[in-house]
């Protein structure tokens, strides 16, 4: 079997089966292991109580832990947001955020160590790109949080791929992780509860549309003209707005899902009423929704005043586009993408 996934948390039952047969173990153990990993979210192989001792020892020897990552530090915000910094067994560190609400518990997960997209306002981009995560590393973030929630009789209801990295630049592992999370023998979380956020890799958006999955797509737009967008998002030079929106239209046509366009408001840069109107005109007639995110300052950029944000939202609404303003969470714990990691790494120097 030729697989880049090496850890059981990244394998489907039939692939675990192949691994077991190489180790001389019976095939039916694969379903047991898969269920322990993905449904019970156990943090150690020794808790897989219906496995024989020798098999547990083999698993421990080969993989140490059911998750290829370890918690380094965590912070809890006054609003309940929890942020985790993980060290990966294969090297590097990533962040994961739990956003508890009354009706739902959402986890925000990372897909790469660092990011190559270099958006000017993003803390992750500043640290450069190290590597893609494996599906096991992506899914384990979810399992870790699921485990924590279980202890309080809660469980995850939503997953957003909005942490560190560009999910569609790590397409195969991200798709594998979605299908693992989706698997009926595992977490069995519906694709409609999963959102993948992208800076706009148009060809990959088309690929995703063809996957026959009902995942939500969020597209980071942040500007309504090519020159303005490319100035803060270099990817805009590779896939201009016309090409990006054509791919998004294809996504809607194939999946009938409403796309969420993310728009981070940066003071005096993209927050004027005429820019709101241009954004409205650009998106007019599309099955979509705009999510306004007051920027979390990490560099030079600053956040517009509450008044200016409200004016932008009103101007956009007047064009007929549904708008929401993202409620701020966890600013007291460096919850902006990449911030905790940056702070911790700096502290270690
Ligand atoms: N690479 C993907 C997903 C990760 S970023 C993407 O670009 O969509 C998740 C969202 O947070 C994106 O919309 C991104 O543009 C936004 N973001 C990044 N840094 C931010 C900051 N400092 N303040 C507000 N939003 C930010």
């Amino acid at each position: 079997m030729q697989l880049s996934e090496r850890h059981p948390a990244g394998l489907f039952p039939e692939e675990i089966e192949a691994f077991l047969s190489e180790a001389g173990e019976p095939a039916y153990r694969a379903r047991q292991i898969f269920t322990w990993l993905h449904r019970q979210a156990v943090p150690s192989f020794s808790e897989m109580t219906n496995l024989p001792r020798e098999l547990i020892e083999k698993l421990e020897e080969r993989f140490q832990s059911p998750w290829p990552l370890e918690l380094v530090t965590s912070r809890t915000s006054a609003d309940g947001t929890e942020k985790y910094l993980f060290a990966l067994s294969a090297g590097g560190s990533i962040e994961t955020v739990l956003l508890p609400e009354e009706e739902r518990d959402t986890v925000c997960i990372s897909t790469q160590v660092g990011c190559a997209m270099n958006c000017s306002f993003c803390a992750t981009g500043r640290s450069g790109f190290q590597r893609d995560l494996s599906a096991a590393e992506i899914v384990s973030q979810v399992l870790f949080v699921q485990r924590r929630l279980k202890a309080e009789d809660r469980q995850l209801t939503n997953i957003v791929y909005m942490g560190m990295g560009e999910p569609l630049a790590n397409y195969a592992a991200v798709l594998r992780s979605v299908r693992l999370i989706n698997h009926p023998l595992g977490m069995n979380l519906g694709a409609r509860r999963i959102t993948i956020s992208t800076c706009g890799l148009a060809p990959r958006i088309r690929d995703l549309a063809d996957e026959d999955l009902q995942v939500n797509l969020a597209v980071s737009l942040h500007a309504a003209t090519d020159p303005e967008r490319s100035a803060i998002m270099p990817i805009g030079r590779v896939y201009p707005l016309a090409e990006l929106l054509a791919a998004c239209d294809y996504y809607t046509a194939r999946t009938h899902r409403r796309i969420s366009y993310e728009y981070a408001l940066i003071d005096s840069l993209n927050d004027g009423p005429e820019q709101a109107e241009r954004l409205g005109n650009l998106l007019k007639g599309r099955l979509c929704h705009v999510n306004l995110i007051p920027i979390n300052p990490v560099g030079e950029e600053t956040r517009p005043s509450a008044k200016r944000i409200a004016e932008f939202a009103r101007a956009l609404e007047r064009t007929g586009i549904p708008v929401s303003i993202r409620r701020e969470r966890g600013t007291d714990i460096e919850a902006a993408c990449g911030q905790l990691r940056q702070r911790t790494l700096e502290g270690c120097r």
Side-chain angles (χ1 to χ4, degrees):
M1 183 172 50
Q2 206 48 41
L3 262 183
S4 55
E5 289 293 333
R6 306 235 167 267
H7 196 279
L11 301 177
F12 292 101
E14 54 280 13
E15 293 166 340
I16 301 179
E17 209 175 295
F19 160 75
L20 288 176
S21 81
E22 280 164 28
E25 296 284 344
Y28 71 92
R29 296 284 181 211
R31 282 168 75 109
Q32 292 177 328
I33 293 174
F34 188 86
T35 304
W36 279 118
L37 286 168
H38 296 276
R39 182 163 294 176
Q40 313 298 343
V42 295
S44 67
F45 290 117
S46 59
E47 283 177 55
M48 301 184 175
T49 48
N50 58 358
L51 301 185
R53 191 65 238 166
E54 311 82 77
L55 177 53
I56 290 175
E57 278 164 13
K58 267 187 214 167
L59 289 167
E60 282 171 342
E61 201 175 301
R62 175 109 184 241
F63 304 107
Q64 282 88 51
S65 150
W67 307 326
L69 42 78
E70 221 174 274
L71 186 67
V72 175
T73 178
S74 70
R75 300 230 192 138
T76 306
S77 157
D79 65 18
T81 305
E82 280 183 37
K83 183 152 197 165
Y84 313 102
L85 180 71
F86 293 111
L88 303 163
S89 326
S93 58
I94 49 162
E95 295 179 0
T96 304
V97 183
L98 167 65
L99 302 141
E101 285 170 284
E102 244 163 61
E103 300 285 307
R104 56 187 192 175
D105 284 305
T106 304
V107 66
C108 175
I109 56 175
S110 294
T111 55
Q112 296 179 316
V113 184
C115 185
M117 297 299 135
N118 233 344
C119 299
S120 66
F121 46 84
C122 175
T124 303
R126 283 163 188 256
S127 61
F129 173 71
Q130 276 91 59
R131 69 173 175 93
D132 284 331
L133 295 188
S134 66
E137 290 169 327
I138 298 171
V139 170
S140 294
Q141 300 168 60
V142 180
L143 297 176
F144 175 92
V145 173
Q146 182 76 310
R147 172 77 186 174
R148 264 181 124 83
L149 291 175
K150 261 176 186 274
E152 296 172 25
D153 249 349
R154 286 151 59 197
Q155 63 172 351
L156 275 176
T157 58
N158 296 77
I159 297 177
V160 295
Y161 286 72
M162 290 189 183
M164 304 171 72
E166 167 50 42
L168 297 189
N170 183 13
Y171 190 84
V174 163
L175 260 283
R176 175 178 272 270
S177 71
V178 168
R179 294 202 159 100
L180 286 166
I181 290 164
N182 230 201
H183 200 287
L185 288 177
M187 235 177 298
N188 200 13
L189 193 89
R192 286 163 181 258
R193 295 179 171 277
I194 299 175
T195 300
I196 295 181
S197 182
T198 178
C199 64
L201 304 186
R204 295 288 86 76
I205 292 175
R206 287 177 183 273
D207 291 342
L208 188 62
D210 290 335
E211 295 283 350
D212 201 23
L213 273 172
Q214 289 283 300
V215 290
N216 301 303
L217 182 66
V219 177
S220 302
L221 214 49
H222 308 328
T225 68
D226 282 318
E228 285 177 338
R229 189 162 190 268
S230 301
I232 51 174
M233 301 180 72
I235 195 70
R237 279 191 284 276
V238 185
Y239 304 113
L241 285 167
E243 196 175 334
L244 173 57
L245 290 175
C248 292
D249 292 344
Y250 180 72
Y251 192 83
T252 311
R254 288 297 305 258
T255 63
H256 309 290
R257 305 296 291 156
R258 183 176 78 156
I259 293 180
S260 171
Y261 290 98
E262 310 286 301
Y263 195 99
L265 285 164
I266 307 171
D267 190 39
S268 308
L269 198 92
N270 63 358
D271 63 338
E274 65 294 339
Q275 282 155 316
E277 210 175 298
R278 227 175 286 140
L279 177 63
N281 290 333
L282 184 73
L283 298 178
K284 206 167 259 175
R286 295 188 151 96
L287 180 64
C288 71
H289 163 267
V290 172
N291 198 3
L292 298 175
I293 317 169
I295 192 110
N296 249 310
V298 296
E300 318 265 275
E301 294 94 352
T302 53
R303 173 179 304 181
S305 67
K307 180 167 170 277
R308 222 165 137 79
I309 294 171
E311 277 168 7
F312 189 95
R314 264 200 304 279
L316 186 54
E317 247 160 1
R318 272 198 296 275
T319 68
I321 304 286
V323 186
S324 59
I325 302 175
R326 186 177 293 173
R327 193 156 55 91
E328 273 200 73
R329 305 286 307 255
T331 39
D332 54 333
I333 55 162
E334 260 91 52
C337 168
Q339 279 186 328
L340 178 61
R341 175 170 176 266
Q342 197 178 44
R343 203 57 63 89
T344 308
L345 293 177
E346 279 166 8
C348 292
R349 268 186 211 132

